[in-house]
Amino acid sequence: MDDLEKRLKMFMLRCVKVCRTLPKEYEAQHFAHQLIRSSSSAAANFRAVRRGRSQKEFFAKLSVTLEELDESLFWLETIVFTEIVPERRLKELIDEGYQVLKILSKSRKTVSD
């Protein structure tokens, strides 16, 4: 789990760095705030996953982590879709997000089986 926690923290840090470079226009700053909120929430909730007192609590916190990570990917894709940042600049970050999302989804499926 330490590797995943580190990957989620690095994902959040990279999202913050992207947001620092966005233009000052309203929509770019709105997307930036949403991205920072969701990426930091994904990292924080994953930390809580590790402290789950029961299988149900573990599953619930993991589900929140997945939702927040998926939302972060939505905001990154929105930043590309609205042509605020070129896709080539965010491709690696988006790919990393999807890789972690797949790993966490499999973990959640294993818990529910």
Side-chain angles (χ1 to χ4, degrees):
M1 290 278 193
D2 289 331
D3 182 52
L4 282 174
E5 184 173 356
K6 183 177 179 180
R7 286 177 76 173
L8 280 163
K9 284 181 180 178
M10 290 305 298
F11 180 81
M12 175 195 62
L13 177 62
R14 291 173 68 191
C15 287
V16 168
K17 288 181 178 182
V18 166
C19 292
R20 287 178 181 161
T21 67
L22 293 179
K24 298 301 177 206
E25 282 79 21
Y26 172 79
E27 67 277 7
Q29 290 304 302
H30 173 72
F31 300 156
H33 289 119
Q34 295 290 66
L35 178 56
I36 289 171
R37 186 202 52 74
S38 60
S39 64
S40 61
S41 180
N45 276 289
F46 186 74
R47 184 180 176 114
V49 164
R50 300 181 66 199
R51 288 159 180 60
R53 295 173 292 221
S54 68
Q55 191 170 359
K56 283 184 179 182
E57 187 175 357
F58 178 89
F59 185 86
K61 290 291 185 182
L62 189 54
S63 294
V64 173
T65 301
L66 282 162
E67 289 174 20
E68 295 293 341
L69 181 55
D70 188 55
E71 182 178 336
S72 299
L73 290 163
F74 169 81
W75 292 117
L76 288 167
E77 291 167 355
T78 298
I79 290 167
V80 170
F81 182 73
T82 56
E83 300 178 342
I84 295 170
V85 174
E87 183 177 10
R88 63 177 159 58
R89 190 167 145 223
L90 296 181
K91 184 175 180 357
E92 285 183 27
L93 181 56
I94 291 170
D95 289 346
E96 170 67 3
Y98 275 109
Q99 287 175 27
V100 174
L101 191 68
K102 284 181 185 179
I103 293 167
L104 294 176
S105 293
K106 286 181 183 179
S107 296
R108 186 174 67 171
K109 185 171 179 354
T110 301
V111 171
S112 68
D113 287 346

